[in-house]
Amino acid sequence: MAVHTRCSGGRNARFTARKWGWLALLTFVAVGSRTAVSQPDETVPALLLHLEQVLISGQPDQYVALAAPSADREAAAQFATTNIAAGITHAAVRERERTPLPASSDGPAGLRLIVDVFTERGDRGIVSTWRLDLEPLPTDREARAADASETTPSPESNAAGGPAAPQEPAWAIRAQDRLSFVEGLYRLRLDRNQQYVANGLRIEAEDLRLNVRDGIVHLAVSDGGATALVVVGRGDMEFSPAPPAEKGQVRLFAGNETLRTRFVRAFVRINPGDLDDHLIPSRLGPARSVDASALAEAQEFFDSRVATSFSLDLSDLSRDTWSLVPSVGDFLMDVDTDRFGVLTYTRSQSDAEDISLFDRSNRKNIAVYTSAERLARRGRSYDHAARLAYDVYRYDVDVSISPDRAWIEGRTGIDLRVRAYALSALTLRLAESLVVRSVVADRFGRLLTLRVRGQNSFIVNFPEPVGRDEWLTLQVFYSGRLPPQALDREAIVLGPPPVVPQELEGPLFAPEPRFLYSNRSYWYPQATINEYALARLRLSVPARLNVVASGVLAPGSPTVAPDIAGRGPRKTYVFNATQPLRYLSAIVSRLTDVTSHVVARTDRGDDYVPSGRPGVYYDSVSLAVVANPRQVGRARALAGRAAEILGFYQSVLHDAPYPAVTLAAVDDVLPGGHSPAYLGILNQPTLPTALSWRNDPVSFDNFPDFFLAHELAHQYWGQAVGWENYHEQWISEGFAQFFALLYAERTHDRRAWVGILRQMRRSVERYPGQGPIWLGYRLGHLKGDSRIFRAILYNKGALVLDMLRQWLGDEAFFRGLRRFYDEARFRRVGTEDVRRAFEEASGARLERFFERWLYDDAVPQIRVTWRVVDPQDEYTTDTRFERSFRAPQGEASDAPTESSDGGERPLQLRVEQIGETFDLPLTVELQYASGERQRLLLRLARRVTNLELALKGPLRRVEVDPDEISLATLVEGSR
């Protein structure tokens, strides 16, 4: 598909439209505002109907006859020659927008129309957008046109039937321009007159093979050749992804690392030039006659699939399905299988991870990964934002929210800088239910927009390309119904709805209504990737409600305005976000100010601070606490603990990333939380329920502040430090969970702290084989169980960081942690950035540590044996044990020492790793006959480690992992 925009000076700028989503689904709908004018509406449709007839006539001079007396007839003739030619079999012209034109020296007052134009030549189509400047015809002709309009047929009569007699229009065309057009559209049809024998046919793509034992193939062709195939028959499908993590997901879905199933039908979309690369043999033998039953089955499957991929929704212009030819290298196949229903395999060059297998009916990603060729060229790490053609510097959001109607009406200003060499169009994200009224640019005025149907985005087209490093300011006006979102994955999800005793139902126990607009509701126009930007928010709500949002409340805010147009009094808040943030959030509810603190616990000292990083380093943070009326008492108790937690985090990282944080305690049935920049939201259960969340991986009964500590840690991890793609979500969740663990270590005794570690380890062991940490949101996706996501991403992520702390020692670890935070602050980063920071701070090589614990989900298997030997026996060890021990907080290190008389027999300890070798910290406890206990921290980096340790006295026993917190498995034979 080629999308073109009209440029100044008559030049055409051409760019290829990106395919959105996992299956490259392209569906567009034009959107725009309509401005009423004084002229009767019936006269404009008459002109547009006349234009349809002119297009079908194929005669450019008929268009020139519509030119106004003041028009440039040479320009009109050139426009007509470009856009009107013989062979057009159908045309549709639809008004999209109109604005009045003032009178000028060149002509009277008129109209400016933006119209969508669709023309067909057989099974080929072109859709374009024209700008037409109209002026009224002289009065006598207007009168005749008014009389004729009584019998003017509707535009639909032309679309449904044959050509209608043109009526005398009341308008003439003063000027015209084609703003943009999309060509290369095809109304694909199966060839019903020819079938091909598919016996022995193979259809192949990377990691996929379709073997057709016997069957029939039907083709649908474009100008370049076959672009769609339907196979009907019998055969086998085999899908075996190369990446180990994807093998694991296929095993969860299909029961085996290779998905094998029989199939009866397959639908293929392909670029004709790629046909030889995917079909073996590439030449199909024609069948002697057409099998009617196979044809009917092929047609039914074709009709059900052709509109779902590589198609445009032109329902306002045509009743047919219009498709695009896939780009070179793109491939899609829908396979109707015996075991799994229809599975969709895609290879999309525009996606960072270009291979996927998808269960469309159940909306499940089975496998998503990078092809071998791209992996070798790029590596597995990537940043989604690198694909953006522009950078947003600042958002200026002005929104009126009416929660009782779930209605939003607003304007958002976007200051952006172009990153591409020449930008002809850009995509912005906005909830599909919100209507884009208009988009205006400071340089170009009102712009053409295309809505992406089925997705939360729209396209803005420029009349000429914008060069690299040029600045633009867009103003987007929009409105519509938008329900508030639920809290993010921080919320504990148990499945069944809460059970409320009948006698407790009613307003007394109903949670206070609250309305959250945040990262998943797309409530304001924004970049398609959550990049960092500054912001100003101006939010208007009914006066009975309150707002807390991303940013610092402006002085004098809020203000109250009286009743306007029967809407009731309104309250307006202004928030300023002076530090970069990834997305904007607001919560609307009845909220009461509870208390406020200034937390100042930061002293940066001489720590490493990279130069050139955005944002300000703060030494203190203002903490405000608000609550629903029923939560005021509990919120007051939360305030002191929240201030202590924030102060502790500041002492660890020597920074407060945002100058202010507002903590909102809100009613809900289940605990949960959400923590955008500048804001923390905590569910406070008040409703009696039969549900229990004790077994949830993130519920710690012995440390009720753990949840609060996790949410506040997100101000650093997930907000101040962002992740570059979904694989890196552990940098948000795992780090936040680890910081809550650090706070628990600081405030609890060792026994309680170890209990939290043990609970984390057990939650990880509860879900073996579900995938590595690096799988991100897809953990638990196939089973629809978010507990798997929380157990592995949250808890295992935290345990891995704790193991890294043991491996490096406290000094090197915290030096590396602060280095990573400073380098990643207000950036999108990945696992490799984490590794490099700790390597540079410690001097250690950590490739294997990260490979095993982050990218793999294997579990180390160890066998430990020991014996006490006579010192006179000859014995040689492979290595001497490096004495090191991380003592619990407040206790002294008790490394092993030689006995005073030198007469104790040494201990020989052998640790063997079975299978893959891990970098594994492992605690061993020596228990002496005297009752004394001695703990040793082993750093295991070899398949076999032999140690000889001096004992303090008679040894009673050796206990491996005495706290039961290691992720390693102790195999049979250990003693």
Side-chain angles (χ1 to χ4, degrees), residues 258-390:
T258 297
L259 185 152
R260 294 184 178 90
T261 181
R262 295 179 180 178
F263 78 93
V264 292
R265 298 182 297 185
F267 169 79
V268 177
R269 287 302 316 276
I270 193 171
N271 185 284
D274 293 336
L275 204 62
D276 291 351
D277 297 332
H278 293 278
L279 264 66
I280 302 174
S282 58
R283 293 187 177 274
L284 299 171
R288 294 181 179 179
S289 59
V290 174
D291 183 324
S293 63
L295 172 60
E297 189 171 357
Q299 187 67 57
E300 185 272 331
F301 197 54
F302 176 86
D303 292 342
S304 69
R305 314 315 297 178
V306 70
T308 61
S309 306
F310 301 104
S311 66
L312 295 179
D313 182 352
L314 301 176
S315 55
D316 289 343
L317 300 167
S318 174
R319 298 173 181 174
D320 297 325
T321 297
W322 290 88
S323 300
L324 306 164
V325 175
S327 300
V328 173
D330 285 354
F331 176 85
L332 177 143
M333 181 160 62
D334 291 328
V335 185
D336 189 4
T337 71
D338 287 350
R339 292 181 58 191
F340 309 110
V342 177
L343 299 181
T344 300
Y345 173 97
T346 67
R347 178 78 184 269
S348 175
Q349 300 299 313
S350 64
D351 293 335
E353 294 186 304
D354 49 335
I355 296 177
S356 70
L357 185 69
F358 190 73
D359 179 357
R360 195 192 302 252
S361 60
N362 295 309
R363 301 187 62 82
K364 289 185 176 180
N365 287 307
I366 302 166
V368 184
Y369 58 99
T370 305
S371 62
E373 178 272 330
R374 182 174 292 184
L375 189 65
R377 185 177 72 248
R378 184 200 68 196
R380 65 184 154 200
S381 297
Y382 64 93
D383 185 0
H384 268 307
R387 300 161 55 208
L388 273 179
Y390 58 92

Side-chain angles (χ1 to χ4, degrees), residues 598-604 607 618-623 642-659 661 716 739 818 821:
V598 175
V599 183
R601 295 278 295 275
T602 300
D603 179 12
R604 293 206 60 81
D607 277 333
Y618 289 98
D619 291 326
S620 63
V621 59
S622 298
L623 171 66
E644 183 180 352
I645 291 167
L646 286 173
F648 171 67
Y649 293 164
Q650 288 172 236
S651 70
V652 174
L653 293 173
H654 298 176
D655 180 45
Y658 298 101
V661 174
Y716 295 86
F739 262 57
R818 284 188 286 270
Y821 171 77

